Amino acid sequence: MYKLIFLSLFLTSNIVNTKSHRFADFVTTYDKRYPTTHEYFKRKQIFKNNLHKINAHNSENHNWKMRMNSFGDMEWDEFRTNHLNSWKVPFTINNFFDFAPKPSLPDSLDWVSKGAVTPVKNQEQCGSCWAFSTTGALEGLHFLTTGKLVSLSEQQLVDCSNSYGNNGCNGGLMDLAFKYVEDNGICTEEMYPYTSEDGNCSNCTSVFKISGYKDVSANDEDALQLAVFSQPVSVAIEADQSGFQFYSHGVFDGDCGTELDHGVLLVGWGNLNGSKYWKVKNSWGNSWGMDGYILMARDIEQSHGQCGIAMQPSVPTV
């Protein structure tokens, strides 16, 4: 890769206008590098198109807003290919999570403030969201079991759980990863660091092993709330809508369906200005969304929940 064409060249060019300066700021902020002049101008046009989309959305009356972020030079199809779970795997029910007797639930809950959630991570251009959702649930359970918050290895799951049905950077399923950890345990992030690409499975010393996992009753937000009351929960959503790429803040109630393609971590719930929400930890870095989190509409009319969030929830058990 060549060093990005020097910005000073463009500042002296008659092509430059106010929007070019904004792209220059974007390039500097996110340390963007392009191999050719052609690629630079291609990305600049994509940036301008995305900026127009963001401004158009924010000029309308929505409960949530968009903003420019590090994905600003990517077309939606390109972003979807690199950041979502493109490989569909079969989902089968494994027991059912049950909470009896049912507790009295608070108006809000946040496992982040309770210390059960590690800092937001970044899957980068690898379809390993399923691995991050898995480690998030495991990290929460480890905290609740030991009182210690430890970052666990996504790369181990990417490299080593293929024989359980996962496919590394090309997709996977949290339940299959839980089964792998049940049989093999999991190492820390420090022992087995993330590389954002498929690799060969390496040996490491497990620091946590589970007895199994359970699925939450599908299409039941009440059951889902009970599960989240107990611990952070792995969920799948359909995130292949352009609003996700530039989500900034507010309660997301945008268009989305039930073709599940992204694994995330459900860490709480609450109410913002009269809008009920689920608090969800994503794996696209902390420059995305609300420091890496998104608030998704809760208790909507559809039984499957916003973007299918209630369709396939699951939790590890000890």
Side-chain angles (χ1 to χ4, degrees):
M1 296 286 285
Y2 296 93
K3 178 69 178 176
L4 173 68
I5 301 163
F6 293 111
L7 296 178
S8 58
L9 173 64
F10 295 103
L11 292 175
T12 58
S13 168
N14 59 9
I15 301 175
V16 172
N17 57 30
T18 302
K19 290 186 178 180
S20 298
H21 283 292
R22 294 201 65 174
F23 182 64
D25 292 339
F26 168 83
V27 167
T28 301
T29 299
Y30 298 108
D31 192 27
K32 295 288 184 174
R33 299 163 187 263
Y34 307 112
T36 65
T37 303
H38 173 77
E39 185 70 14
Y40 178 95
F41 282 107
K42 173 185 174 182
R43 296 298 167 180
K44 178 181 175 182
Q45 184 59 51
I46 294 172
F47 169 87
K48 291 168 66 177
N49 293 342
N50 284 331
L51 186 62
H52 175 76
K53 181 192 306 180
I54 292 168
N55 289 337
H57 172 87
N58 290 342
S59 68
E60 299 169 353
N61 184 26
H62 295 286
N63 288 330
W64 58 284
K65 298 296 183 181
M66 300 169 72
R67 74 161 182 267
M68 184 57 67
N69 56 32
S70 62
F71 306 133
D73 60 351
M74 300 177 71
E75 293 178 330
W76 171 243
D77 286 345
E78 179 184 11
F79 175 81
R80 177 172 54 190
T81 298
N82 290 328
H83 290 84
L84 300 180
N85 191 345
S86 59
W87 188 61
K88 305 299 183 183
V89 293
F91 179 81
T92 56
I93 298 298
N94 178 74
N95 301 320
F96 269 126
F97 179 90
D98 186 35
F99 205 126
K102 294 183 178 180
S104 176
L105 298 175
D107 292 334
S108 64
L109 180 143
D110 188 347
W111 282 113
V112 180
S113 63
K114 290 178 178 291
V117 183
T118 58
V120 170
K121 304 178 185 182
N122 194 340
Q123 69 185 75
E124 301 178 29
Q125 294 190 29
C126 168
S128 56
C129 56
W130 58 274
F132 286 83
S133 176
T134 300
T135 58
L138 292 168
E139 289 161 353
L141 182 59
H142 182 270
F143 173 82
L144 291 169
T145 303
T146 68
K148 298 178 181 179
L149 184 62
V150 178
S151 183
L152 300 175
S153 176
E154 294 80 24
Q155 193 64 43
Q156 181 185 358
L157 300 177
V158 169
D159 293 349
C160 304
S161 69
N162 286 21
S163 63
Y164 286 75
N166 289 322
N167 201 22
C169 285
N170 291 314
L173 192 67
M174 287 78 81
D175 277 12
L176 302 178
F178 289 144
K179 179 59 180 174
Y180 168 84
V181 176
E182 178 185 352
D183 293 344
N184 301 277
I186 191 166
C187 306
T188 66
E189 190 95 53
E190 183 178 7
M191 291 178 185
Y192 205 139
Y194 187 65
T195 65
S196 71
E197 60 185 5
D198 293 316
N200 296 321
C201 184
S202 300
N203 293 324
C204 59
T205 303
S206 170
V207 297
F208 191 48
K209 198 170 184 179
I210 58 176
S211 63
Y213 61 95
K214 291 186 177 182
D215 296 315
V216 180
S217 297
N219 303 321
D220 186 341
E221 287 196 271
D222 290 336
L224 181 56
Q225 192 171 17
L226 287 171
V228 181
F229 182 74
S230 176
Q231 63 197 93
V233 175
S234 287
V235 293
I237 60 174
E238 180 179 348
D240 66 346
Q241 303 298 318
S242 59
F244 278 92
Q245 185 174 357
F246 298 110
Y247 168 81
S248 171
H249 64 279
V251 179
F252 182 84
D253 58 0
D255 293 335
C256 52
T258 57
E259 294 296 321
L260 307 179
D261 56 20
H262 190 47
V264 289
L265 185 70
L266 186 47
V267 297
W269 69 77
N271 187 304
L272 179 65
N273 299 325
S275 296
K276 294 181 179 180
Y277 66 79
W278 295 113
K279 183 174 181 178
V280 175
K281 181 187 182 184
N282 203 353
S283 53
W284 294 344
N286 58 17
S287 66
W288 177 88
M290 300 176 66
D291 296 324
Y293 290 84
I294 182 172
L295 306 182
M296 297 182 63
R298 175 170 60 94
D299 287 347
I300 63 173
E301 292 182 1
Q302 294 93 331
S303 62
H304 50 68
Q306 180 72 8
C307 306
I309 196 170
M311 292 176 66
Q312 292 185 5
S314 56
V315 293
T317 57
V318 291

